[in-house]
């Protein structure tokens, strides 16, 4: 039972570099999302997708791009990393958009931008 | 917009002590309420949930009751163990499937 798999687990970037955080789920979930976790601020929604080919912005989308070409994969791209993007990133998926449906989270990617 | 407020930590307890973490929310409509737990170095896991007023969610000795009149969803456990040391997040989900999280409460249980 893989669930939601994120890679890499740790990454250090220099300011201005680009990278892609990978997220894959094997539960055939319709809904996927990306959050960032910062101390004292809980998790904040970056981008989300309600299905293949459909994405939308969350609360803090600036500096990040996403795409959803398949049901399984939902990569997050940082085009030009900034120190303010130092954070822990979590990918999540859920079966549908009902309010009572549980979200499943990956183990996170700890990103440091220097 | 939707928001969740939970008590700041850290909360430090001795083993077998009673734990309460307060959570209040603001939302339009009728949200579902969740408690997620994050153990060190891991992602978030669902601890319990409640989907309508007066529902009680429970799991692993933890309980929380959906109180619409006070817009609260306080988490309680009668006797904590060292293994309960973690960060606990209160969250709500209203229409549109977007989870809104509180800031998290770190709990440290000492033997």
């Amino acid at each position: 039972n893989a669930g939601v798999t994120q890679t890499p687990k740790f990454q250090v970037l220099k300011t201005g570099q680009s990278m892609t955080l990978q997220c894959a789920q094997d539960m055939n979930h319709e809904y996927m999302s990306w959050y960032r976790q910062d101390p004292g601020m809980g998790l904040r929604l970056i981008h989300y997708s309600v299905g293949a080919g459909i994405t939308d912005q969350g609360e803090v989308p600036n500096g990040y791009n996403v795409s959803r070409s398949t049901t399984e994969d939902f990569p997050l791209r940082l085009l030009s990393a900034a120190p303010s993007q130092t954070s822990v990133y979590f990918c999540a998926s859920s079966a549908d958009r009902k309010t009572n449906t549980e979200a499943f989270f990956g183990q996170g990617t700890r990103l440091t931008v220097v | 917009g939707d928001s969740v407020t939970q008590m700041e930590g850290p909360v430090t307890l001795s083993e077998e002590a009673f734990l309460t973490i307060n959570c209040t929310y603001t939302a339009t409509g009728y949200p579902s309420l969740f408690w997620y737990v994050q153990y060190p170095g891991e992602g978030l896991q669902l601890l319990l949930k409640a989907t309508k007023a007066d529902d009680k969610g429970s799991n692993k000795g933890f309980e929380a009751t959906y109180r619409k009149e006070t817009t609260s969803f306080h988490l309680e456990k009668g006797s904590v163990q060292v293994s309960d040391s973690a960060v606990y997040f209160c969250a709500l989900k209203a229409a549109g499937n977007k989870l809104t999280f509180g800031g998290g409460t770190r709990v440290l249980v000492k033997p």
Side-chain angles (χ1 to χ4, degrees), chain B residues 71-82:
Chain B
T71 62
S72 65
F73 192 53
H74 305 322
L75 182 68
E76 297 181 336
K77 185 174 186 181
S79 178
V80 294
Q81 306 300 312
V82 172

Side-chain angles (χ1 to χ4, degrees), chain B residues 44-58:
Chain B
L44 279 71
Q45 306 173 22
L46 179 67
L47 181 60
L48 54 84
K49 69 178 183 182
T51 59
K52 61 183 186 295
D54 300 325
D55 266 3
K56 178 185 285 187
S58 61

Side-chain angles (χ1 to χ4, degrees), chain B residues 76-103:
Chain B
E76 297 181 336
K77 185 174 186 181
S79 178
V80 294
Q81 306 300 312
V82 172
S83 57
D84 293 323
S85 298
V87 181
Y88 293 82
F89 292 93
C90 185
L92 70 82
K93 192 195 298 186
N97 201 44
K98 298 178 186 179
L99 272 169
T100 300
F101 287 88

Side-chain angles (χ1 to χ4, degrees), chain A residues 31 37 42 90 99-101 103, chain B residues 32 36 38 49 89 93 97 102:
Chain A
Y31 187 93
Q37 181 185 24
F90 288 98
T99 59
N100 61 355
T101 301
Chain B
S32 292
Y36 282 86
Q38 183 182 29
K49 69 178 183 182
F89 292 93
K93 192 195 298 186
N97 201 44

Side-chain angles (χ1 to χ4, degrees), chain A residues 34-46 60 64 85-90 105 107-111, chain B residues 37-39 42-44 87-89 101-106:
Chain A
W34 276 101
Y35 294 86
R36 59 177 290 172
Q37 181 185 24
D38 301 295
M41 302 186 73
L43 276 73
R44 293 181 292 169
L45 182 64
I46 304 171
V60 288
Y64 307 95
Q85 294 178 305
T86 294
S87 187
V88 181
Y89 292 85
F90 288 98
F105 287 81
Q107 291 204 319
T109 296
R110 184 174 294 276
L111 176 67
Chain B
V37 58
Q38 183 182 29
Y39 298 105
E42 298 185 10
L44 279 71
V87 181
Y88 293 82
F89 292 93
F101 287 88
T105 302
R106 183 175 300 276

